[in-house]
Amino acid sequence: QSVLTQPPSASGTPGQRVTISCSGSSSNIGSNPVNWYQQLPGTAPKLLIFSNNQRPSGVPDRFSGSRSGASASLAISGLQSEDEAGYYCGTWDDSLNGFYVFGTGTKVTVL
Amino acid sequence: QVQLQESGPGLVKPSETLSLTCSVSGGSISSYYWTWFRRPPGKGLEYIGYIYNSVSTNYSPSLRSRVTISEDTSKNQFSLRLMSVTAADTAVYYCARAGYYSSGAFDVWGQGTMVTVSS
């Protein structure tokens, strides 16, 4: 059901910068703000970025987001071992009376 | 601090109805979008639907014919009913809240509950 496309995996060494892309269409990312979620194994998703580039209180400024047209991206700078997790973009889709859509998910590995 | 907790049977037989409840603590259930998601084994997150102000609902197009989400403000709970389940409905089910941030982001999540569909 995922209508947003992400790379299945990304990796980096501690301290490096990792970028994850999220590609959608005019009915979702092209029209609505993007949110990003982090999911550690066995835990619930955690909101990481909202409204394209805003961080909730408590989220380190190593995480940043951006949106351009029908695509968005999440950047993790100064990669740390605890960043090893799954990352999902998400937004509302205006088609079919509106519904929430997630990306396919990206597994980040810290080498 | 608002917390969510899912509860319900961990095993449901094929063709029967899956029923889960999400209890909201630390805040009122009023004026937020109370939502259900799921994550099947080995797959990504899937939106099921939400309820807002007890009466306004929105459901995933792929599940709309089988899903009902309701709210009980007296108990500060909301519930999910998914009819005619099959093995494909086996998943970890999460409840979550949106409406604190204007972008519709889901900022509070339950820990999730595993539901297996099997005879």
Side-chain angles (χ1 to χ4, degrees):
Chain A
Q1 179 168 341
S2 298
V3 299
L4 307 180
T5 302
Q6 299 177 233
S9 63
S11 62
T13 56
Q16 278 190 327
R17 176 184 171 93
V18 169
T19 302
I20 301 168
S21 61
C22 175
S23 178
S25 68
S26 59
S27 65
N28 42 65
I29 295 178
S31 305
N32 296 295
V34 176
N35 310 302
W36 288 90
Y37 303 87
Q38 177 194 60
Q39 188 168 30
L40 298 167
T43 69
K46 170 189 172 184
L47 180 63
L48 209 57
I49 297 286
F50 68 94
S51 294
N52 304 320
N53 55 17
Q54 304 298 303
R55 285 185 306 277
S57 175
V59 173
D61 60 6
R62 304 184 291 104
F63 295 92
S64 62
S66 64
R67 182 187 78 164
S68 178
S71 296
S73 63
L74 173 73
I76 310 172
S77 58
L79 193 65
Q80 299 184 5
S81 59
E82 58 261 38
D83 299 333
E84 187 160 294
Y87 293 84
Y88 294 85
C89 56
T91 188
W92 290 93
D93 192 299
D94 293 338
S95 63
L96 299 174
N97 292 322
F99 59 104
Y100 201 80
V101 292
F102 285 104
T104 46
T106 300
K107 175 66 169 45
V108 169
T109 301
V110 182
L111 302 171
Chain B
Q1 181 180 353
V2 175
Q3 293 185 312
L4 307 181
Q5 178 68 58
E6 304 91 349
S7 60
L11 180 64
V12 182
K13 290 182 168 56
S15 80
E16 294 189 345
T17 297
L18 180 161
S19 296
L20 296 175
T21 296
C22 182
S23 298
V24 180
S25 61
S28 171
I29 200 171
S30 300
S31 301
Y32 288 101
Y33 296 81
W34 301 103
T35 309
W36 288 96
F37 296 96
R38 68 183 184 181
R39 185 174 180 187
K43 297 187 178 181
L45 292 164
E46 180 182 7
Y47 169 76
I48 298 173
Y50 72 68
I51 188 165
Y52 176 72
N53 274 348
S54 298
V55 293
S56 177
T57 55
N58 174 281
Y59 300 128
S60 163
S62 64
L63 296 172
R64 189 169 290 150
S65 63
R66 298 193 291 131
V67 172
T68 303
I69 296 176
S70 58
E71 189 179 295
D72 187 338
T73 53
S74 66
K75 295 182 179 179
N76 237 32
Q77 295 176 336
F78 64 104
S79 299
L80 167 71
R81 283 173 50 89
L82 181 65
M83 300 183 298
S84 305
V85 297
T86 69
D89 295 309
T90 294
V92 177
Y93 285 76
Y94 299 97
C95 56
R97 180 189 83 168
Y100 182 80
Y101 298 110
S102 59
S103 64
F106 297 95
D107 65 319
V108 181
W109 293 72
Q111 65 183 27
T113 187
M114 180 69 202
V115 178
T116 301
V117 178
S118 174
S119 56

